[in-house]
């Protein structure tokens, strides 16, 4: 390790003091303020709470994919050492139905987190609570379940699966796409498939639940404290305020940690039944079936174009899998309908029920598979026409949103293509497939674009200026690794005028001012806005006191305003006193200044607020008003394919991205690289494999469910081409977290085609598909 690295690794103080002073301002490259706590082990994760009297719960899951539980014999488990409780559908306390995440009221009065009717392998059917974890594991193995098994629909290719249910809300149409396609001089039509993928966060799902009378405290990794608190409150019929969720540190979520799940209900119910706190941590295999990964998808993309390369028609049909008793729609036309200008467009989508846990959100749900279809298809069209695939994208560049006919708020995609191509050396690409090689390695260069909508929603923060001159920020939003602690420290530091080292950000507790979900790449824009507003009003109060309080050293100055910078207050012309924020507060006899700020419309009622923070439906549509708002990116990727073995390695990635203004380029770059790495995993490795006899995921662990390791990842270069976008957020940023995964898989598939002449339309691109 170089001295430079050691300094950075040791303390953030070294970094920010000796680094550029502007690192701590918005737009600075401040290192993660939670980094030292996370890497030294000081950060306490949800399951690390030490509580007196903690009991341990273990789930028992179905070993069939479809059928009914005939009987559960719990006798042996009940008499096993240390066992406190064995829960089945018959013995678990009554839990009420809860609203869904859109806020729709429950369809059933009661909710049974333990199933009698089995609709997927791995479904929870019983639970054992014991004094120790080991005793619970041992007793769970003694629970005997007998079933009446029925045939399962294992996946989309199962003949029993059928065509599915049309989702009318996904239909998008303009012009006459079928007729225009029939009339087009050049036509392509192909089917693209993505497989089941899993979020595979390092930290598993689980929780500790504790009841004190009618008050429930839950320590659980959470992307959405307020939404989950509402679910617990409804399940157990207690007021929302009685539920406290605590989640200051999270070991990754990637979409999987926004909801309270069946096992969450079981843990909270058993804690109530026992009158003791209960801890329940899912095993790694249970993580694959307790919350769904990305749904498998199938798409057909047909494009009609002129010889000049101009698209005349796009017809798109999509299907995603969902559960037997749960609905998940993976919006497959989200990129298809906006990436390119086309006068005629038609997209329709069905969902097909199969015996799986209901699929869920995984980084860019919708946009990610959508881009695999359209960005592969456009490459196929370019090849047919003999047009460079980058040129093809520019020929069909959408100058405005073709779906809603509104101008983009900002769209630096042309700039992204230019910057990425330049840096990658795209001009040196020889067009013919198999025309570039290095010995036995076929080299391929591929390009693809990506996009993600800007979701504007709501959040609140409190900003306090404390007696010692430090600043405290509180919000019930969260940081699962994306950098919320750090960017909020920067926002408060810059706005109030103190060093970032003097700001403490507190997140991950539902007792703090409210926030909506950390999903849809919205949190940074929402929360920097709220903190900016709160900090501005705290600063106004501070300056107001300094000017008007007779005890203030500035009182005699009769100034209109004062300058607060670097923790000190001075007169604008520098001709008056120069005191620290702490000294000023002491002089006016105040121990703190406090202000709240939010991103909610001014006339919002208490009911609006509750709804906006506890349901997901309340983000403002990205096309509302005069503009269509999105982040954009272009990926340029080199692959090397071994001619004999068909192994694919990604050897170079240059991506140029437009996320508007960056609150912290170091963290945004890291987010983008994380997304690109996940995209490489999707393209080459990730696939939930179903045992067709039992409808069971066989690779339900991190040894067999392959995600990229360091050895799979080359140097990744990311270039920011964004400009501030004040239509998208208070401080001008657009979304970062999900953007960069979108378009990586098609860029790789396109590169593989360029290397080998083989078009793989079925992810992941494994060697048997190439030889
Ligand atoms: N950022 C920035 N400038 C902007 C916007 C964001 O510098 N204009 C940086 C900030 O460091 C900010 C981060 O990017 O903290 C992400 O901001 P944003 O795009 O608003 O996304 P959210 O904060 O809402 O985070 C959620 C998003 C999603 S939806 C998934 S899925 C995902 C992701 O973030 N899961 C992650 N990134 C993840 N990163 C980690 N380490 N772990 C996960 O589980
Ligand atoms: Mo991200 S999949 O919206 O949590």
């Amino acid at each position: 390790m170089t001295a430079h690295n050691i300094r950075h690794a040791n303390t953030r103080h070294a970094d920010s003091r000796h680094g550029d002073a502007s690192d701590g301002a918005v737009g600075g490259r401040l290192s993660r303020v939670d980094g030292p706590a996370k890497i030294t082990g000081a950060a306490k994760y949800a399951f690390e709470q030490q509580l007196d009297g903690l009991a341990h719960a273990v789930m028992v899951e179905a070993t069939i994919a479809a059928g009914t539980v005939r009987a559960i014999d719990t006798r042996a488990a009940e008499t096993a050492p240390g066992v406190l409780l064995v829960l089945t559908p018959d013995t678990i306390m009554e839990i009420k139905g809860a609203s869904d995440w859109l806020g729709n009221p429950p369809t059933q009065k009661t909710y049974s987190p333990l199933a009698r009717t089995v609709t997927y392998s791995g479904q929870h059917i019983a639970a054992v609570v014991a004094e120790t974890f080991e005793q619970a594991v041992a007793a769970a193995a003694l629970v005997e379940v007998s079933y009446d098994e029925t045939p399962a629909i294992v996946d989309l290719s199962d003949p029993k699966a059928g065509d599915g249910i049309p989702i009318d809300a996904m239909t998008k149409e303009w012009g006459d796409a079928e007729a225009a396609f029939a009339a087009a001089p050049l036509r392509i039509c192909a089917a693209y498939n993505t497989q089941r993928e899993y979020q595979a966060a390092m930290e598993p799902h689980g929780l500790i639940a504790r009841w004190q009378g009618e008050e429930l405290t839950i320590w659980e990794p959470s992307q959405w404290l307020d939404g989950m608190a509402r679910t617990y409150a409804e399940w157990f019929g207690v007021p929302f305020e009685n539920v406290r969720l605590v989640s200051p540190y999270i070991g990754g979520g990637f979409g999987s940690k926004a909801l309270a799940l069946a096992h969450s209900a079981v843990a909270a119910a058993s804690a109530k039944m026992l009158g003791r706190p209960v801890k329940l941590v899912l095993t790694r295999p249970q993580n694959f079936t307790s919350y769904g990964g990305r749904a498998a998808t199938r798409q057909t993309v047909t494009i009609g174009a002129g010889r000049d390369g101009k698209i005349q028609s796009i017809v798109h049909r999509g299907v995603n899998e969902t559960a037997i008793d749960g609905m998940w729609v993976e919006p497959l036309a989200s990129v298809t309908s906006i990436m390119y200008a086309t006068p005629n467009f038609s997209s329709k989508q069905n969902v097909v029920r199969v015996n799986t846990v209901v699929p869920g959100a995984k980084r860019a749900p919708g946009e990610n598979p959508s881009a695999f279809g359209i960005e592969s298809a456009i490459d196929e069209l370019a090849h047919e026409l003999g047009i460079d695939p980058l040129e093809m994208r520019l020929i069909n560049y959408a100058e405005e949103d073709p779906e809603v006919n509104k101008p983009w708020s900002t769209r630096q995609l042309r700039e992204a293509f230019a910057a990425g191509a330049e840096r990658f050396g795209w001009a040196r690409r020889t067009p013919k497939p198999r025309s570039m090689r290095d010995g036995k390695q076929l080299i391929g260069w591929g390009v693809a674009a990506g996009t993600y909508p800007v979701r504007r929603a709501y959040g609140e923060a409190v900003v306090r200026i404390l007696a010692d001159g430090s600043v405290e920020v509180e919000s019930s939003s969260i940081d699962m690794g994306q950098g919320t602690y750090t960017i909020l420290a920067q926002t408060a530091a810059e706005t109030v005028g103190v060093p970032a080292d003097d700001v403490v950000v507190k997140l991950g507790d539902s007792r703090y001012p409210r926030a909506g979900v950390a999903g849809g790449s919205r949190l940074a824009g929402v929360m920097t806005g709220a903190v900016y507003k709160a900090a501005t009003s705290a600063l106004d109060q501070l300056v107001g006191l300094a000017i008007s309080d007779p005890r203030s050293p500035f009182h005699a100055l009769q100034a209109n305003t004062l300058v607060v910078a670097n923790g000190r207050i001075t007169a604008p012309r520098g001709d008056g006193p120069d005191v620290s924020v702490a000294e000023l507060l002491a002089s006016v006899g105040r121990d703190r200044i406090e202000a709240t700020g939010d991103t909610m419309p001014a006339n919002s009622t208490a009911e609006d607020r509750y709804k906006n923070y506890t349901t997901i439906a309340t983000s403002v549509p990205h096309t509302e008003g005069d503009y269509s708002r999105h982040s954009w990116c272009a990926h340029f990727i080199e692959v090397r394919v071994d001619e004999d073995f068909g192994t694919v390695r990604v050897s170079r990635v240059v991506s140029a991205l437009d996320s508007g203004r960056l609150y912290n380029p170091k963290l945004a770059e890291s987010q983008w690289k994380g997304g690109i790495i996940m995209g490489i995993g999707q393209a080459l490795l990730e696939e939930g494999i179903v045992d067709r006899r039992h409808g069971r995921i066989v690779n339900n662990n991190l040894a067999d469910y392959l995600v990229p390791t360091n050895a799979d990842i080359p140097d990744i270069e990311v270039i920011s081409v964004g400009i501030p976008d004040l239509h998208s957020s208070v401080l001008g940023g657009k979304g970062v977290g999900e953007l960069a995964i979108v378009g990586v898989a098609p860029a790789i598939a396109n590169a593989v085609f360029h290397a080998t002449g083989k078009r793989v339309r079925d992810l992941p691109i494994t060697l048997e598909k190439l030889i």
Side-chain angles (χ1 to χ4, degrees), residues 223 253-256 258 361-365 452 480 517-521 738:
Q223 294 180 229
F254 307 108
S256 72
K362 180 179 172 184
R363 215 167 190 170
Y452 195 81
M480 58 182 154
V517 67
S521 303
E738 290 162 287

Side-chain angles (χ1 to χ4, degrees), residues 32 201 223 250-256 361-365 452 478-487 517-526 659-669 671 729 732-738:
R32 289 263 297 274
Q223 294 180 229
I250 303 159
F254 307 108
S256 72
K362 180 179 172 184
R363 215 167 190 170
Y452 195 81
I478 61 93
D479 191 333
M480 58 182 154
Q482 77 271 42
T484 321
Y485 282 112
T486 312
I487 57 169
V517 67
S521 303
R522 75 189 73 181
L523 195 67
V526 167
S659 287
R661 179 189 185 196
L662 301 182
Y663 308 127
N664 182 324
K666 181 188 265 184
L667 303 190
E669 287 163 14
Q671 282 289 298
S729 63
K734 301 193 281 188
V736 159
E738 290 162 287

Side-chain angles (χ1 to χ4, degrees), residues 33-391:
V33 299
D34 54 330
K38 276 197 153 180
I39 60 173
T40 57
K44 211 172 213 186
Y45 286 78
F47 321 141
E48 294 177 331
Q49 313 306 316
Q50 305 296 324
L51 301 185
D52 285 342
L54 193 62
H56 299 263
V58 165
M59 302 301 303
V60 176
E61 65 274 17
T63 53
I64 61 164
T68 48
V69 174
R70 191 187 313 139
I72 306 179
D73 185 344
T74 58
R75 281 170 300 182
E78 269 158 13
T79 54
V83 170
L84 300 164
L85 202 58
V86 180
L87 293 176
T88 67
D90 294 325
T91 60
I92 191 166
M93 65 176 281
E94 188 176 294
I95 299 173
K96 296 185 170 61
S99 312
D100 67 11
W101 67 348
L102 300 170
N104 298 315
T107 49
Q108 304 206 300
K109 275 184 84 147
T110 59
Y111 167 57
S112 179
L114 300 172
R116 286 191 174 88
T117 304
V118 178
T119 58
Y120 58 93
S121 177
Q123 194 167 8
H124 304 302
I125 50 176
V128 176
V129 190
E131 292 288 349
T132 70
F133 171 67
E134 291 75 13
Q135 288 170 330
V137 171
L142 301 175
V143 174
E144 283 201 26
V145 186
S146 54
Y147 304 95
D148 291 314
E149 195 171 356
T150 52
I153 305 167
V154 295
D155 63 15
L156 286 175
S157 67
D158 193 313
K160 295 188 292 301
D163 294 336
I165 312 154
I167 304 294
D168 292 339
M170 292 288 117
T171 300
K172 303 181 183 193
E173 296 201 289
W174 63 86
D176 186 343
E178 307 272 3
F181 177 72
L186 205 109
R187 289 176 273 175
I188 61 141
C189 175
Y192 304 92
N193 302 339
T194 67
Q195 311 308 329
R196 266 182 217 177
E197 299 158 20
Y198 295 88
Q199 297 85 357
M202 290 276 277
E203 179 197 36
H205 281 270
L207 68 154
I208 294 176
R210 180 183 67 191
W211 287 91
Q212 289 165 307
E214 289 297 286
E215 308 243 319
L216 173 63
T217 306
I218 301 278
W219 289 266
E220 183 170 18
S222 170
Q223 294 180 229
W224 190 15
L225 302 176
D226 293 62
M228 286 169 62
R230 174 182 176 150
T231 305
Y232 284 105
E234 291 184 11
W235 275 343
F236 295 98
V238 297
F240 176 70
E241 292 69 30
N242 284 25
V243 180
R244 179 182 180 197
L245 250 99
V246 188
S247 181
Y249 295 104
I250 303 159
F254 307 108
S256 72
K257 288 177 176 163
L259 304 174
L261 302 169
H263 69 269
S264 315
V266 171
S270 50
K272 195 163 175 64
M273 291 170 76
L274 276 176
R276 283 176 64 170
V278 169
K279 170 166 159 173
L280 192 166
V281 181
L282 297 180
T283 63
R284 186 52 70 176
Q286 286 171 344
N287 270 271
F288 284 74
T289 46
S290 299
Y291 181 73
R294 194 193 303 285
T297 72
R298 307 277 178 265
Q299 298 175 75
T300 317
V301 186
T302 60
I303 308 183
R307 298 258 160 233
D308 56 358
K310 270 220 178 290
I311 297 174
Q312 297 172 356
S313 169
I314 299 176
V315 180
H316 175 248
R317 298 290 179 259
V319 168
N320 75 263
E321 62 178 3
T322 189
I324 300 294
D325 53 4
M327 183 53 82
W328 176 263
V329 181
E330 181 94 14
L332 290 170
S334 45
V335 178
T336 331
S337 62
I338 61 164
M339 189 57 87
Y340 300 107
T342 174
N344 301 288
F345 184 87
S346 164
S347 177
K348 292 191 173 143
Q349 185 171 339
N350 283 13
V351 298
V352 169
R353 293 195 189 278
V354 308
N355 287 93
T356 174
V357 61
V358 59
K362 180 179 172 184
R363 215 167 190 170
E367 282 75 18
N368 177 323
S370 180
F372 179 61
I374 184 67
E375 288 299 302
S376 296
I378 205 87
D379 200 78
E380 302 209 27
L381 186 63
H383 179 72
E384 285 295 316
L385 283 163
I387 295 177
D388 178 274
L390 178 56
E391 182 56 26

